[in-house]
Amino acid sequence: MSVQARMARPEPAAQGSQFAHDVLAGLTARPKRLLPKYFYDEAGAQLFEEITALAEYYPTRCELAILRQHAAEIAALVPDGAALIEFGSGSSKKARILLAAAKQAAAYVPVDISTEMLAKEADELRRDHARIKVLPLETDFTKPFRLPAEIAAMPRTGFFPGSTIGNFEPHEACSFLRHAGRMLGKGAVLIIGVDLVKDSKVLNAAYDDAAGVTARFNLNLLARINRELDGTFDLESFSHEAFYNSERHRIEMHLASKKRQKVRVCGRVIDFRAGETIHTENSYKYTLESFGALARGSGWTPAAVWTDKKKYFSVQALVSEGE
Ligand code: AVI
Protein backbone atom coordinates (compact mmCIF):
# COMPACT_ATOMS: atom_id res chain seq x y z
CA MET A 1 0.00 0.00 0.00
CA SER A 2 1.43 3.43 -0.89
CA VAL A 3 2.06 6.02 1.83
CA GLN A 4 -0.79 8.10 0.43
CA ALA A 5 -3.24 5.19 0.45
CA ARG A 6 -2.24 4.32 4.00
CA MET A 7 -2.92 7.88 5.11
CA ALA A 8 -6.29 7.96 3.38
CA ARG A 9 -7.37 4.69 5.00
CA PRO A 10 -5.84 4.36 8.48
CA GLU A 11 -4.60 0.89 9.44
CA PRO A 12 -7.25 -0.67 11.70
CA ALA A 13 -5.37 -0.39 15.02
CA ALA A 14 -7.88 -2.28 17.14
CA GLN A 15 -7.52 -5.75 15.55
CA GLY A 16 -6.47 -8.24 18.22
CA SER A 17 -7.77 -5.83 20.87
CA GLN A 18 -10.48 -6.36 23.50
CA PHE A 19 -12.82 -4.44 21.17
CA ALA A 20 -12.15 -6.92 18.33
CA HIS A 21 -12.60 -9.86 20.67
CA ASP A 22 -15.91 -8.57 22.09
CA VAL A 23 -17.28 -7.62 18.66
CA LEU A 24 -16.52 -11.03 17.14
CA ALA A 25 -17.91 -12.84 20.19
CA GLY A 26 -21.09 -10.71 20.05
CA LEU A 27 -21.65 -11.06 16.30
CA THR A 28 -21.19 -14.84 16.38
CA ALA A 29 -23.51 -15.26 19.40
CA ARG A 30 -27.24 -16.00 19.09
CA PRO A 31 -28.98 -13.61 19.30
CA LYS A 32 -26.31 -11.23 18.02
CA ARG A 33 -25.29 -8.48 20.43
CA LEU A 34 -22.74 -5.69 20.90
CA LEU A 35 -21.70 -4.06 24.18
CA PRO A 36 -23.05 -0.52 24.73
CA LYS A 37 -19.74 0.71 26.18
CA TYR A 38 -18.41 0.67 22.59
CA PHE A 39 -20.83 3.41 21.52
CA TYR A 40 -18.50 6.04 22.89
CA ASP A 41 -15.69 6.63 20.41
CA GLU A 42 -15.17 10.30 19.48
CA ALA A 43 -18.11 10.38 17.04
CA GLY A 44 -20.35 8.43 19.45
CA ALA A 45 -19.54 10.71 22.39
CA GLN A 46 -20.40 13.71 20.20
CA LEU A 47 -23.71 12.10 19.14
CA PHE A 48 -24.51 11.32 22.79
CA GLU A 49 -23.98 15.01 23.63
CA GLU A 50 -26.52 15.81 20.89
CA ILE A 51 -28.96 13.26 22.36
CA THR A 52 -28.80 14.96 25.77
CA ALA A 53 -30.04 18.19 24.17
CA LEU A 54 -33.03 16.60 22.35
CA ALA A 55 -36.55 17.66 23.35
CA GLU A 56 -37.56 13.98 23.68
CA TYR A 57 -34.56 12.93 25.81
CA TYR A 58 -35.71 14.02 29.29
CA PRO A 59 -33.09 12.29 31.57
CA THR A 60 -30.28 14.85 31.33
CA ARG A 61 -32.57 17.86 31.64
CA CYS A 62 -34.45 16.34 34.60
CA GLU A 63 -31.29 15.31 36.41
CA LEU A 64 -29.64 18.72 35.95
CA ALA A 65 -32.78 20.41 37.28
CA ILE A 66 -32.86 18.11 40.34
CA LEU A 67 -29.16 18.68 41.06
CA ARG A 68 -29.51 22.46 40.74
CA GLN A 69 -32.66 22.63 42.86
CA HIS A 70 -31.32 20.41 45.67
CA ALA A 71 -27.59 21.17 45.41
CA ALA A 72 -27.26 22.45 49.00
CA GLU A 73 -29.08 19.47 50.51
CA ILE A 74 -27.11 16.96 48.43
CA ALA A 75 -23.80 18.74 49.08
CA ALA A 76 -24.48 18.60 52.84
CA LEU A 77 -24.01 14.81 52.63
CA VAL A 78 -20.36 15.29 51.61
CA PRO A 79 -18.11 15.11 54.73
CA ASP A 80 -15.51 17.80 55.54
CA GLY A 81 -12.27 17.20 53.66
CA ALA A 82 -13.87 14.48 51.50
CA ALA A 83 -12.86 13.27 48.06
CA LEU A 84 -15.71 13.19 45.54
CA ILE A 85 -15.23 10.24 43.20
CA GLU A 86 -17.23 10.35 39.97
CA PHE A 87 -17.76 7.14 38.01
CA GLY A 88 -17.81 7.88 34.24
CA SER A 89 -17.23 11.63 34.58
CA GLY A 90 -17.47 12.65 30.88
CA SER A 91 -17.68 16.44 30.79
CA SER A 92 -17.99 16.75 34.63
CA LYS A 93 -20.94 19.11 34.05
CA LYS A 94 -23.00 17.58 36.86
CA ALA A 95 -20.06 17.36 39.28
CA ARG A 96 -19.53 21.09 38.84
CA ILE A 97 -22.95 21.70 40.37
CA LEU A 98 -22.05 19.59 43.42
CA LEU A 99 -18.54 21.00 43.77
CA ALA A 100 -19.84 24.57 43.69
CA ALA A 101 -22.16 23.72 46.61
CA ALA A 102 -19.81 21.38 48.55
CA LYS A 103 -17.17 23.90 49.60
CA GLN A 104 -15.94 21.41 52.24
CA ALA A 105 -14.77 18.88 49.60
CA ALA A 106 -10.97 18.60 49.36
CA ALA A 107 -10.56 16.49 46.22
CA TYR A 108 -12.36 15.46 43.05
CA VAL A 109 -11.47 12.20 41.30
CA PRO A 110 -13.11 11.98 37.85
CA VAL A 111 -12.87 8.41 36.57
CA ASP A 112 -13.32 7.79 32.83
CA ILE A 113 -11.85 5.85 29.93
CA SER A 114 -11.52 8.94 27.72
CA THR A 115 -8.05 10.42 28.37
CA GLU A 116 -8.55 13.54 26.25
CA MET A 117 -11.80 14.54 27.92
CA LEU A 118 -10.29 13.88 31.38
CA ALA A 119 -7.23 16.05 30.79
CA LYS A 120 -9.22 18.94 29.31
CA GLU A 121 -11.86 18.93 32.05
CA ALA A 122 -9.25 18.54 34.83
CA ASP A 123 -7.41 21.68 33.67
CA GLU A 124 -10.62 23.69 33.62
CA LEU A 125 -11.73 22.41 37.03
CA ARG A 126 -8.35 23.28 38.59
CA ARG A 127 -8.75 26.80 37.25
CA ASP A 128 -12.32 27.13 38.58
CA HIS A 129 -11.86 25.34 41.94
CA ALA A 130 -8.36 26.21 43.14
CA ARG A 131 -9.11 24.84 46.64
CA ILE A 132 -9.76 21.32 45.33
CA LYS A 133 -7.21 18.69 44.31
CA VAL A 134 -8.33 17.38 40.93
CA LEU A 135 -6.98 13.86 40.42
CA PRO A 136 -8.24 12.35 37.15
CA LEU A 137 -8.09 8.59 36.78
CA GLU A 138 -8.13 6.97 33.35
CA THR A 139 -9.68 3.55 33.79
CA ASP A 140 -12.75 1.41 33.08
CA PHE A 141 -14.80 2.16 36.18
CA THR A 142 -17.03 -0.90 35.65
CA LYS A 143 -14.12 -3.03 36.94
CA PRO A 144 -12.50 -2.76 40.39
CA PHE A 145 -9.69 -0.14 40.40
CA ARG A 146 -7.29 1.58 42.83
CA LEU A 147 -7.97 5.11 44.05
CA PRO A 148 -5.12 7.67 43.98
CA ALA A 149 -2.79 7.47 47.02
CA GLU A 150 -3.34 11.21 47.66
CA ILE A 151 -6.88 10.55 48.92
CA ALA A 152 -6.01 7.54 51.13
CA ALA A 153 -6.71 9.45 54.37
CA MET A 154 -9.80 11.33 53.12
CA PRO A 155 -13.44 10.33 53.65
CA ARG A 156 -15.04 9.43 50.29
CA THR A 157 -18.29 10.26 48.55
CA GLY A 158 -19.30 8.53 45.31
CA PHE A 159 -21.12 10.23 42.43
CA PHE A 160 -22.67 8.22 39.61
CA PRO A 161 -25.10 10.41 37.65
CA GLY A 162 -26.77 9.94 34.26
CA SER A 163 -28.58 6.69 35.08
CA THR A 164 -25.63 4.83 33.56
CA ILE A 165 -26.51 2.15 36.12
CA GLY A 166 -29.52 1.50 33.85
CA ASN A 167 -27.19 0.29 31.09
CA PHE A 168 -25.98 -2.53 33.34
CA GLU A 169 -27.82 -5.83 33.59
CA PRO A 170 -29.27 -6.13 37.12
CA HIS A 171 -26.50 -8.58 38.19
CA GLU A 172 -23.86 -6.18 36.83
CA ALA A 173 -25.51 -3.26 38.66
CA CYS A 174 -25.33 -5.33 41.84
CA SER A 175 -21.63 -6.15 41.44
CA PHE A 176 -20.84 -2.52 40.52
CA LEU A 177 -22.61 -1.30 43.68
CA ARG A 178 -20.75 -3.91 45.75
CA HIS A 179 -17.32 -2.93 44.48
CA ALA A 180 -18.17 0.78 44.84
CA GLY A 181 -19.19 0.08 48.47
CA ARG A 182 -15.90 -1.69 49.18
CA MET A 183 -13.90 1.11 47.59
CA LEU A 184 -15.74 4.01 49.25
CA GLY A 185 -15.87 2.36 52.69
CA LYS A 186 -18.49 1.76 55.38
CA GLY A 187 -20.74 4.77 55.99
CA ALA A 188 -19.79 6.45 52.69
CA VAL A 189 -22.53 8.10 50.63
CA LEU A 190 -23.14 7.37 46.95
CA ILE A 191 -25.16 9.96 45.02
CA ILE A 192 -26.65 8.21 42.02
CA GLY A 193 -28.95 9.18 39.13
CA VAL A 194 -31.66 6.60 38.40
CA ASP A 195 -34.18 6.82 35.57
CA LEU A 196 -37.74 5.85 36.53
CA VAL A 197 -40.48 3.71 34.97
CA LYS A 198 -43.01 5.90 33.17
CA ASP A 199 -45.49 6.01 30.27
CA SER A 200 -44.03 3.92 27.43
CA LYS A 201 -44.83 6.69 24.90
CA VAL A 202 -42.42 9.04 26.69
CA LEU A 203 -39.78 6.30 26.89
CA ASN A 204 -40.12 5.22 23.26
CA ALA A 205 -39.83 8.81 22.01
CA ALA A 206 -36.72 9.42 24.15
CA TYR A 207 -34.90 6.55 22.42
CA ASP A 208 -36.32 7.01 18.92
CA ASP A 209 -36.30 10.78 18.41
CA ALA A 210 -37.87 12.49 15.42
CA ALA A 211 -34.57 13.99 14.21
CA GLY A 212 -32.93 10.54 14.09
CA VAL A 213 -29.99 11.42 16.35
CA THR A 214 -30.37 8.23 18.43
CA ALA A 215 -30.54 6.23 15.19
CA ARG A 216 -27.20 7.76 14.11
CA PHE A 217 -25.76 7.07 17.58
CA ASN A 218 -26.79 3.40 17.30
CA LEU A 219 -25.55 3.03 13.69
CA ASN A 220 -22.23 4.67 14.59
CA LEU A 221 -21.34 1.40 16.30
CA LEU A 222 -21.28 -0.26 12.87
CA ALA A 223 -19.35 2.68 11.41
CA ARG A 224 -16.82 2.28 14.26
CA ILE A 225 -16.43 -1.42 13.45
CA ASN A 226 -15.85 -0.47 9.80
CA ARG A 227 -13.23 2.11 10.82
CA GLU A 228 -11.37 0.10 13.44
CA LEU A 229 -11.92 -3.57 12.59
CA ASP A 230 -11.87 -3.55 8.79
CA GLY A 231 -15.65 -4.02 8.75
CA THR A 232 -17.82 -3.90 5.64
CA PHE A 233 -21.18 -2.93 7.19
CA ASP A 234 -23.40 -1.00 4.76
CA LEU A 235 -25.12 1.40 7.17
CA GLU A 236 -28.01 1.87 4.73
CA SER A 237 -28.99 -1.77 5.08
CA PHE A 238 -29.49 -1.65 8.86
CA SER A 239 -32.19 0.23 10.75
CA HIS A 240 -32.41 1.55 14.30
CA GLU A 241 -35.05 -0.04 16.53
CA ALA A 242 -35.84 1.07 20.08
CA PHE A 243 -38.81 0.04 22.21
CA TYR A 244 -39.83 -0.28 25.83
CA ASN A 245 -40.02 -3.89 27.02
CA SER A 246 -42.55 -3.51 29.81
CA GLU A 247 -42.05 -7.03 31.17
CA ARG A 248 -38.35 -6.45 31.71
CA HIS A 249 -38.65 -2.72 32.53
CA ARG A 250 -36.10 -1.73 29.94
CA ILE A 251 -35.64 0.11 26.70
CA GLU A 252 -34.03 -2.20 24.16
CA MET A 253 -32.03 -0.87 21.25
CA HIS A 254 -31.32 -3.04 18.25
CA LEU A 255 -29.92 -2.72 14.73
CA ALA A 256 -32.07 -4.69 12.29
CA SER A 257 -30.75 -6.08 9.02
CA LYS A 258 -33.05 -4.90 6.19
CA LYS A 259 -32.11 -7.90 4.04
CA ARG A 260 -30.22 -11.18 3.92
CA GLN A 261 -26.56 -10.21 3.73
CA LYS A 262 -22.95 -11.07 4.57
CA VAL A 263 -20.61 -8.69 6.38
CA ARG A 264 -16.87 -9.06 6.97
CA VAL A 265 -15.28 -8.05 10.28
CA CYS A 266 -11.59 -8.69 11.04
CA GLY A 267 -11.58 -11.11 8.09
CA ARG A 268 -14.51 -13.16 9.46
CA VAL A 269 -17.76 -13.45 7.49
CA ILE A 270 -20.93 -12.81 9.47
CA ASP A 271 -24.30 -13.88 7.97
CA PHE A 272 -27.49 -11.91 8.58
CA ARG A 273 -31.04 -13.06 7.90
CA ALA A 274 -33.55 -10.41 6.75
CA GLY A 275 -34.98 -8.85 9.91
CA GLU A 276 -32.30 -10.34 12.18
CA THR A 277 -31.15 -7.86 14.83
CA ILE A 278 -28.02 -7.02 16.79
CA HIS A 279 -29.04 -6.15 20.35
CA THR A 280 -26.92 -3.10 21.17
CA GLU A 281 -28.24 -1.69 24.45
CA ASN A 282 -30.61 -2.10 27.38
CA SER A 283 -31.56 0.90 29.46
CA TYR A 284 -33.31 -0.37 32.60
CA LYS A 285 -35.92 1.79 34.27
CA TYR A 286 -36.60 1.41 37.99
CA THR A 287 -39.36 2.29 40.41
CA LEU A 288 -38.24 3.80 43.71
CA GLU A 289 -39.11 0.44 45.29
CA SER A 290 -37.26 -1.72 42.77
CA PHE A 291 -34.12 0.42 42.96
CA GLY A 292 -34.32 0.43 46.78
CA ALA A 293 -34.40 -3.38 46.69
CA LEU A 294 -31.41 -3.50 44.31
CA ALA A 295 -29.46 -1.11 46.56
CA ARG A 296 -30.27 -3.03 49.75
CA GLY A 297 -29.34 -6.31 48.10
CA SER A 298 -25.98 -4.79 47.07
CA GLY A 299 -24.84 -3.50 50.47
CA TRP A 300 -26.37 0.01 50.47
CA THR A 301 -29.15 1.65 52.52
CA PRO A 302 -31.31 4.20 50.67
CA ALA A 303 -31.10 7.48 52.64
CA ALA A 304 -32.75 10.16 50.45
CA VAL A 305 -34.48 10.54 47.09
CA TRP A 306 -35.09 13.67 45.00
CA THR A 307 -37.23 13.65 41.84
CA ASP A 308 -38.46 16.18 39.29
CA LYS A 309 -42.12 17.29 39.33
CA LYS A 310 -43.24 14.64 36.84
CA LYS A 311 -41.28 11.91 38.68
CA TYR A 312 -39.49 11.04 35.45
CA PHE A 313 -36.02 10.84 37.03
CA SER A 314 -34.49 10.47 40.48
CA VAL A 315 -31.27 11.39 42.24
CA GLN A 316 -30.75 9.13 45.24
CA ALA A 317 -28.38 9.07 48.20
CA LEU A 318 -27.31 5.63 49.43
CA VAL A 319 -25.19 4.84 52.51
CA SER A 320 -22.69 1.98 52.40
CA GLU A 321 -23.29 -0.74 54.96
CA GLY A 322 -19.66 -1.93 54.61
CA GLU A 323 -18.58 -5.53 54.36
C1 AVI B 1 -25.70 6.70 28.93
N1 AVI B 1 -27.03 6.11 29.08
C2 AVI B 1 -27.54 6.35 30.44
C3 AVI B 1 -27.97 6.47 28.02
C4 AVI B 1 -29.38 5.87 28.32
O1 AVI B 1 -30.32 6.65 28.34
O2 AVI B 1 -29.48 4.67 28.55
C5 AVI B 1 -27.48 5.99 26.67
C6 AVI B 1 -28.46 6.25 25.56
N2 AVI B 1 -28.80 5.40 24.64
C7 AVI B 1 -29.64 5.94 23.80
N3 AVI B 1 -29.90 7.17 24.21
C8 AVI B 1 -29.15 7.39 25.30
Side-chain angles (χ1 to χ4, degrees), residues 40 48 51 57 162-164 167 206-207 214 217 253 281 283 285:
Y40 303 93
F48 181 65
I51 288 175
Y57 192 75
S163 200
T164 303
N167 296 132
Y207 291 84
T214 312
F217 172 72
M253 291 211 317
E281 187 179 59
S283 189
K285 309 303 168 190

Side-chain angles (χ1 to χ4, degrees), residues 21 36 40 144-145 176 186 212 215 311:
H21 175 271
Y40 303 93
F145 61 90
F176 168 79
K186 187 175 166 109
K311 293 203 164 37

